[in-house]
Each structure stands twice: as C-alpha cells, then as structure tokens.
Amino acid sequence: MARKAAIIGGGVIGGGWAARFLLNGWDVGVFDPDPQAERKIAEVLANARAALPALSDVPMPPEGKLTFHGTIGEAVEGAEYVQESVSERIELKHKVYAQLQQSNPGVLIGSSTSGFKASDLQKSAVSPENIIVAHPFNPVYLLPLSEVSGSPANPPAIVEKTVQIMKDIGMFPLVIRHEIDAFLGNRFLEAVWREALWMLKDGIATTEEIDEAIRMGFGLRWGQMGLFETYRIAGGEAGMKHFMAQFGPALKWPWSKLMDVPEFNDELVDLVAGQSDAQSGMYGIRELERIRDQNLVGFLRALKERNWGAGKVLREHDERRAAAFHATLDTGPKAVPLVMAQMQVLPGWIDYNGHMTESRYLFACSETIDNFLRLIGAGMDYVAAGHSFYTAETHIRHLGEAKLGDRLTGTIQILSADEKRFRSFVRILRGEDCVATVEQLCLHVDMKVGKTVPAAPEVWGKLKAIAEAHAGLPLPEGAGRAVGQKKE
Amino acid sequence: MARKAAIIGGGVIGGGWAARFLLNGWDVGVFDPDPQAERKIAEVLANARAALPALSDVPMPPEGKLTFHGTIGEAVEGAEYVQESVSERIELKHKVYAQLQQSNPGVLIGSSTSGFKASDLQKSAVSPENIIVAHPFNPVYLLPLSEVSGSPANPPAIVEKTVQIMKDIGMFPLVIRHEIDAFLGNRFLEAVWREALWMLKDGIATTEEIDEAIRMGFGLRWGQMGLFETYRIAGGEAGMKHFMAQFGPALKWPWSKLMDVPEFNDELVDLVAGQSDAQSGMYGIRELERIRDQNLVGFLRALKERNWGAGKVLREHDERRAAAFHATLDTGPKAVPLVMAQMQVLPGWIDYNGHMTESRYLFACSETIDNFLRLIGAGMDYVAAGHSFYTAETHIRHLGEAKLGDRLTGTIQILSADEKRFRSFVRILRGEDCVATVEQLCLHVDMKVGKTVPAAPEVWGKLKAIAEAHAGLPLPEGAGRAVGQKKE
C-alpha cells in the first residue's frame, strides 16, 4: 500500500515535488485550479524521469499513481502529507490550510513558501501545530536541500516527521533552529541579487559577465564545500582564525552597495531582461532546463563517486531503498528482471563513429552487476572481509548501437544460482529496445586461499530469494550459447 | 625556448599561479623572502600536479623550469610577465613594482590583489601602463576565473596581452569594463560573508548549517549557470520579466541584515573558528585540499563532457595545446610514447575485489586512442564527414592491478602505419609501473561504403610524422604476440 502525498499548487515547484514523491513510490493527488496544471506537471515530470533515476544505483521503486482533483478535499483524501506551493498570498494560504484541515484533520502540511514564517502560516488555523515550512530549491527533483522551519507551535514530533518524509524522498532536510524571514538560502541569494542589480544598473557588468564571475570561480567551490569550509582551506595551516584576521577588515571596506536598494522600475526590468535575452536567448527554456539537469546530474554523480556532500545524501538514500527492496523480496517480488542501473550515453562514452564505444557495453554490464552485488549484501564491506564474486566467463551479444544522449537501462535476470555461483543474463536496454546482452558466470571465492567456496548465509539467502523469484521467467532468447567466445 | 613568468610572493595564491605556468610549459622564477616559500610552493605544486593533468585530453607540454631567487631583479630577468601576490599593503606593492620596472623595463605586471584598484597600484610607477589587476580564485590551478581589471592608464594592447597570457595557461579572463573596488566575485562573496557572520552572531545557524544551505542547494546551480541564467529558467515560459515581477518585490522585504556590519571582535572570531573546528576539524588542511580538488576535477570533467561553462574553457584550451603539439611535431618530436590520457581510479571504477574493473582497462585504452585520433585530426568532425578508424584486433595483457585512487597515465606508441591502418601499443601506467598493455590494429574506413580506404592527406600527414618519430623506438616487450586472442 503506497503512501500518499497531496500537492496543492502545481507549477515548477509543485511539479518538482510531485515528481520526487512519484519517483520514490508515493501516490500523489494534485489540486491546482490552473487549466494548464496537468500539462505543466507532465513537463516537469518528464524532465525528472530523465534525470533523477540516473542518480540511483539501486532499483527505483514502482512509480506511484498521479491523480488530479477538482477540489482540495479530494486531493488530500488518504494523504499523510501535503506540500503546499500556492502563490505567496497569506490569505490564500490560510484558506487552503482551513480546507485541508477540515477534509483531513491531523494531516501534516509543509509549505514551499519563501516569504512567510511558519508562525505567519499558522495564524487562525484549527491545528497550527501541523503546519510547517519545507522550503525547496529548483529543480526540486534534483537539488537535495529542503529548509524545514517550524514555530514554537510545532512540537518536536512534527519537525521529526517532516524530516523523515524529506529523507524518504531523497532530500536533505536542514532544520532551521530559529524562525527567521527567508530562512538561510534565500537570505544569501537576496544579498547577491541586490548587489548584482546594482552592477547592472550602474553598467559595471552585464548579466552574462556576472554569471561568468560566479560559475568560473566561487560557484564551482560552493557546489561541494560551502563558504566556511572553503575559507578554512584559504586560511591554510594557520587555520580559520588566520583567515578571519586576513579577511575580517574587509568588512569595513566600502565595497558593495548593500546598504542601499536599487529602485525597482520598468527600466531596470527591461535592462535585465534584455541582457538575459542576449546571453541565453538562443536556448529555449526547456532546452536550458535539460542542459541544467544534465550538468547537475554530472555534478551529483561526481560527488557520489567521492561520497561527499550531496553525493553522501544520494548514497544514504540508496541504502534506505535497498533495504526497502529486500523487504519487498521477503513478501515475494514480481518475477521480472531487476532494473539495476540507469545510465546515459555521454560524449565521453562514444567512439568516433558516433556509437557507444565497445568497452562501455561491458562497463554498463559491470555497473548492473556491481549494483546487484551491493543489493545482495556482497558489497565493499563483504569484499573487505575476504570474500567476493569473480567473473569466470562472459558472453556479449551486440544487438544494436547506442548513440550520444541515449538513456540506457541495465536489467539483470538470474538464470541459475547455488551457494557457490550464479549465472546472470544482463540486458542493456534503450527504452524497449535491447542493444546488448551479457551472459556471465560468477563464482564465489575466498580471496585469501583463492578457492571457490559457499557464500555467506545472509548473501546466499538474498541471492536465493531473487533466483527463486526469477525461476519462473522464460529462458531469454540468446541465453545458453557458448559462453566465453567473444565477438571481435 | 620556453616563455618565462616571474612570481613575486609565494604562498597559496602565488604557488597556484606558479603551478599553472609550470604545468603549461612556462619557466617560472620565484621571489619570496619567506624562508618557508620553497616548501609551501612545493606543496601547492604537488596538489596541482595531482589534479590539473586529469583535466587534459591532449599531451601536457613538458613542465617548465622552476627557480627561486634572492632578489626581485634576478627573478624577473628574462620574464615577459610578472604575477604579484604579495600581502595587501599598498606601499609594499609600490616598492615591488619600482624594483620590477627598474630591472625589467616594459615587463607586464599582473597583481592578485583583491583590495586595490589598478589605478591605486599604478600610482607613482615609472610605467603605470604596464601594471594591471589579474585577480584569481583559489585553487588558482583549477578554477578558471581571472578578473582582469585595468585603469584608463592601461592601453587596450596591455589588456589584450594580459587576456592572451591568461588563456595560454588555461584560465578564463573576465575583463571588468569599469574600475570598481573588489571587482565582481568578491563583492558577492562579501555580501554573503556579512550575512553569514550575522547568522552566526545571532545564533541563527552554525558554520556547518550555513555550508549545507549553500552546497545542497544553490551552490550546485552556480557551478554551471550563474545567477541570471538560473533565474531565467525559474521564470519559466514567461521568461525573465515574469521572474523579475515575482522576485522584484522581495527587494523591499526587510530580510537580511545587509544594512549593518557586525562588530568584528575576538568573540566573533572564536565563535566562527570554534564552529569551523567542530565542522571540519577531523580533516587536516592538506586533506581538505585534496578532497576539494578531487571534487572540482569531478565537476570540471562533468562540464567538459557536456562542453558547457568551465568545461568549454577546458576544451578550448585542449584545442590550443593540440595545435601547439603539432607545431613541435613539424620540428620533430622526441621519440617517446605520447602521453595521451591522465585518469584516476574512482570508486565507481573498481570491482568488489577492490581492483579496477576489467572494462575500465579497455576504457582507459579507448580514452588514450580517442585522444590520439583527435590529435591527428580524425575527431568528431572527421567522422561526421564519413570516415573513421575502426578497431580490427585487440590484444590485452594484464600486468598489474590498479586500485582505488591510483593515478593512471595512458601512453601510445605507433608500431607501424600506412595510409590505411596503424598498429598501436598502449601502455596503462601507474607511475613507472605498467599495469596493462593493449596492442591494437586500427583500419581507416569509408563508413558509407564500409570499406578500408586511405586516410585524408592531412590526417595521414600527422599520423605519418608521429609514426616516423616512433620508428626509432624499440619494439615493446609483449608486442607482436598473437593479436585477437583475449584473455578471459
């Protein structure tokens, strides 16, 4: 029985939330009076489907059910959590909360607001204790940060419940310890935004020059360490105190125009919009979104490979989902090949014929097998303890050609298994289309003595459960052919 | 005859500049009265050698010569460019410039200052027109940004010469159109820094929470698009004007404390330093530097694969260096295998035995060959025009096991070549130690008719020059063995 979230208010933010819940297996009920809501959410969901699975190294749960409703009451029926992303009008939000709490008393309500504090949102509510701020950053389906900000009216249990739900959909909940306007992130963004508008207004720099000043320099630092850890390094061996002593006095220098606010008029708007068109007008918004998402996937995968920052969040999320997957196994999984890897063919993957280079097919298979081994508990720790599965034989069939940008899925079917070995059949799929199959025989070895031995009971137990679930599957076409003869 | 730069003032910044020049083939003369200067620069250089080459897909030029000098006069002798990174005391900088211009009249002087404008630096100089600001961001050897800021005293030719030198060492020179204090980047950093100090002082958040608020959210966005391109997307189909209308009013909200400056006293310093220790104290500074550098290499490679932002800068730099390499070929290269790829074994590359997974050896070879093909002009464009080199046979020998974190070098030696084919011998090296060799026969084919045909004259010309240079090399041990029989 899938958990259900209600999304009140669609658009880019509401749609991003919907995508996170759906792709993490939650059912989602949407209420948004905008007649375009279904189209808009479908577009955000398409972007999310193309990006979020590429961050996962364990099977994604079956996608939840998405429904649209004509009333708030229907949308929130059976929901255990509500994400409210309506426009920033306090009276509107109060009206929405009243209807939500009337239809589903006791439901937890998180707001995407960036302009109001929890105590503002809670005013005049029947159950103020169930209303809290969960403020995300766009794109919601990729960026982990969710600023969780409550008021004294929220008991610790409500804050904790919100934190757990955010973690369940792979986010990084940051609990703000004191109620302040704009929370943390937007206070920094506002500071930079003001300064940037002054530079434009004064003709110091263009929107493009300002963007370059950020993304060619400190922006790269901030994606992996923030402000203070970066400066700690700048302080060198002498440390943070030394850095403060160096940089501290700068506070007194009359550099920025922060004391002042530029007049916000049509002239300024036209200046910014015009320069932005000159800078980015050659790309459509959807195109810019795809470029941004691919870059973010690249950053996040790089951090995941290094188990650092946002990459650590991804690994922890994988571990939770692997556990959830085993729970489903105990109750008997549907007999289908397991989706173990989601990849995209990047420019670095293709050969000079424009096709995915030979080694990448084997690489895609290794990714699939490695994730499978992690799944059955034969990961790093197991190997560190002295046992592992070695590949004895491999048979590759090239059935198609993957090209730049193709999204590939690696599935595994266990053909046979005992305590000492398993025979696997990996399919590398582009959509429905199978571009390669890799049949392998893997032996379980004691690495110290270099001999084939039975796997540890807990590993064999997980492998056995999957092998039994797959026993009912037909033998794949192409399986069982002489293994070990590779094509040239 | 290598070009020469003088580095006045070592330390983290001066050392970073020295590394950039050296690794890009410039000779470097250093003056720094600090008795620790040699050790400090050696440490920065070690970091840079471990990181910068991993961004290059063409042969690195031979590293330049590093010399230390007891006087400014000796350091600047024969230099065409000076990077001044002494501490931020204007009278000291004036003294340094006087000595530089006395010893080497007409030398171009770039300053790393973040606190002074070019016109401040130029005061009382013999040749003010040759003094300009070239302001980098730490780590200088990885982050591309160099803010080039001149005064009316600098003729356009001087600005242009500075721009060209920055490009020559792989940086992204951003010319600031008007002279302002702190240029662009640091004005934003100061705005965020002030706001962050207030949050700490008021107990709103800790250094760690502030860092998470940045790196889990907008920090990731800013590494690939800056402020305005990101907001353009947030505006959605309605565009930038719509976004401004949404966010504009926020300028009037009394969110941040920007109007005010926190008192900078020991109490504040201790608060920040103490929280920073709690957050990052478990890592040494050198360790944090290595973590940061590996993360940045990951980000930069991700952007390079997508040819976006800083990744575009890297690709353009590769193209310039490839051209420079061909120039050396015409004058006859030294007969050595060509270093064509620098890689590091990442967690995602190793199998569950803790060794580099089989497919990655072939991958490392492909990277080496692909870069070689790009080098001889048989890259994407050539393939798009209908011709390519296909691998006919491959023979792999596994001689050692690469492990997590190992830095690998891929070299190629051409054993024989004619207009229709070449036989190559790729070595995958860990330091001096060869972990694998891959011998391949590649055929030049017309992709439309699917037949072996002679390569285009310009491609054959480059291939021929390298093959002739390598003809003098001894046949590698292990070459010429039956090709086509793969090990299992």
Side-chain angles (χ1 to χ4, degrees), chain A residues 39 43 114 138 144-145 172 174 177-178 180-182 184 187-197 199-200 203-204 206 209-211 213-216 219-229 231-233 236-237 241 244 248 250-251 253 255-256 258-259 264 270 276-277 280-281 283 285-286 288-289 291-292 294-296 298-299 303 305-306 308-310 313 346-347 350 352-353 359-360 363 367 370 374 379-380 383 388 390 484, chain B residues 39 43 114 138 144-145 174 177-178 180-182 184 187-197 199-200 203-204 206 209-211 213-216 219-229 231-233 236-237 241 244 248 250-251 253 255-256 258-259 264 270 272 276-277 280-281 283 285-286 288-289 291-292 294-296 298-299 303 305-306 308-310 346-348 350 352-353 359-360 363 370 374 379-380 383 388 390 488:
Chain A
R39 177 184 61 80
E43 284 171 353
S114 52
N138 191 41
L145 185 61
F172 180 84
L174 182 63
R177 55 181 70 220
H178 294 289
I180 53 167
D181 288 301
L184 303 191
R187 290 173 78 108
F188 298 127
L189 288 174
E190 185 206 12
V192 171
W193 175 244
R194 286 185 185 205
E195 186 61 26
L197 288 181
M199 289 183 184
L200 295 178
I204 301 295
T206 65
E209 288 162 352
I210 288 168
D211 281 355
I214 293 171
R215 70 175 182 170
M216 295 291 174
L220 284 163
R221 293 196 303 222
W222 282 4
Q224 46 92 44
M225 291 179 182
L227 185 68
F228 288 96
E229 202 159 51
Y231 285 162
R232 183 184 182 85
I233 294 176
E237 291 137 347
K241 280 204 177 198
M244 296 279 287
L251 284 169
W253 297 349
W255 281 353
S256 66
L258 304 171
M259 326 319 190
F264 192 78
D270 292 342
S276 173
D277 291 346
S280 313
Y283 301 107
I285 292 299
R286 296 270 159 269
L288 275 177
E289 283 174 345
I291 293 168
R292 174 201 63 192
Q294 285 204 22
N295 291 337
L296 290 176
F299 284 6
L303 291 173
E305 281 191 317
R306 293 156 177 80
W308 184 263
V313 175
L346 297 170
I350 65 176
Y352 286 79
N353 315 317
S359 71
R360 281 289 179 176
F363 170 68
E367 291 284 287
D370 290 353
R374 212 176 286 136
M380 292 284 191
V383 172
S388 182
Y390 282 1
Chain B
R39 176 185 61 83
E43 283 171 354
S114 51
N138 192 41
L145 185 60
L174 181 62
R177 56 182 68 217
H178 294 289
I180 53 168
D181 288 301
L184 303 191
R187 289 171 79 104
F188 298 127
L189 288 173
E190 185 207 11
V192 171
W193 174 244
R194 285 186 189 205
E195 187 60 27
L197 288 182
M199 289 182 185
L200 294 179
I204 301 296
T206 65
E209 288 162 351
I210 289 169
D211 281 355
I214 293 171
R215 71 178 182 169
M216 295 290 173
L220 284 162
R221 294 194 305 221
W222 283 4
Q224 46 93 42
M225 293 178 180
L227 185 68
F228 289 98
E229 202 158 52
Y231 285 162
R232 182 185 183 86
I233 294 176
E237 293 140 344
K241 277 201 179 197
M244 298 277 290
L251 284 169
W253 296 346
W255 280 353
S256 67
L258 304 171
M259 327 317 191
F264 192 79
D270 292 341
V272 175
S276 173
D277 291 346
S280 315
Y283 302 107
I285 291 299
R286 295 273 159 268
L288 275 177
E289 283 175 345
I291 292 168
R292 175 200 63 196
Q294 285 203 22
N295 291 337
L296 290 176
F299 283 5
L303 292 173
E305 280 191 318
R306 292 155 176 82
W308 184 264
L346 297 170
I350 63 176
Y352 287 79
N353 316 319
S359 70
R360 282 290 179 173
F363 170 69
D370 290 353
R374 211 175 287 137
M380 292 283 192
V383 172
S388 182
Y390 282 0
E488 274 308 310

Side-chain angles (χ1 to χ4, degrees), chain A residues 311-474:
Chain A
K312 225 178 161 107
V313 175
L314 290 170
R315 287 199 177 199
E316 285 157 6
H317 189 47
D318 277 2
E319 282 160 27
R320 275 189 298 273
R321 279 206 309 229
F325 172 82
H326 290 304
T328 66
L329 268 186
D330 302 337
T331 66
K334 288 191 310 304
V336 292
L338 298 172
V339 174
M340 291 310 309
Q342 303 274 2
M343 297 152 281
Q344 183 173 24
V345 182
L346 297 170
W349 290 31
I350 65 176
D351 62 25
Y352 286 79
N353 315 317
H355 304 140
M356 187 161 94
T357 191
E358 193 188 350
S359 71
R360 281 289 179 176
Y361 289 94
L362 194 49
F363 170 68
C365 171
S366 305
E367 291 284 287
T368 307
I369 295 280
D370 290 353
N371 291 334
F372 177 75
L373 290 177
R374 212 176 286 136
L375 189 69
I376 61 172
M380 292 284 191
D381 302 345
Y382 188 73
V383 172
H387 291 76
S388 182
F389 285 92
Y390 282 1
T391 304
E393 290 184 288
T394 301
H395 180 262
I396 304 177
R397 295 188 313 148
H398 292 278
L399 306 177
E401 284 165 338
K403 296 190 177 50
L404 181 63
D406 285 351
R407 296 186 179 284
L408 302 181
T409 300
T411 70
I412 185 170
Q413 174 177 346
I414 301 303
L415 303 180
S416 65
D418 62 28
E419 288 164 307
K420 291 183 166 183
R421 83 210 78 222
F422 68 86
R423 181 173 291 239
S424 57
F425 192 81
V426 166
R427 293 178 177 87
I428 306 301
L429 304 161
R430 177 183 45 210
E432 296 302 295
D433 170 21
C434 185
V435 294
T437 68
V438 185
E439 181 178 356
Q440 290 185 307
L441 176 66
C442 292
L443 302 177
H444 182 271
V445 296
D446 180 321
M447 295 164 69
K448 291 183 210 61
V449 299
K451 278 181 55 204
T452 305
V453 297
E458 66 278 12
V459 170
W460 166 233
K462 288 173 178 166
L463 173 56
K464 190 161 173 284
I466 296 171
E468 284 166 357
H470 286 188
L473 290 170

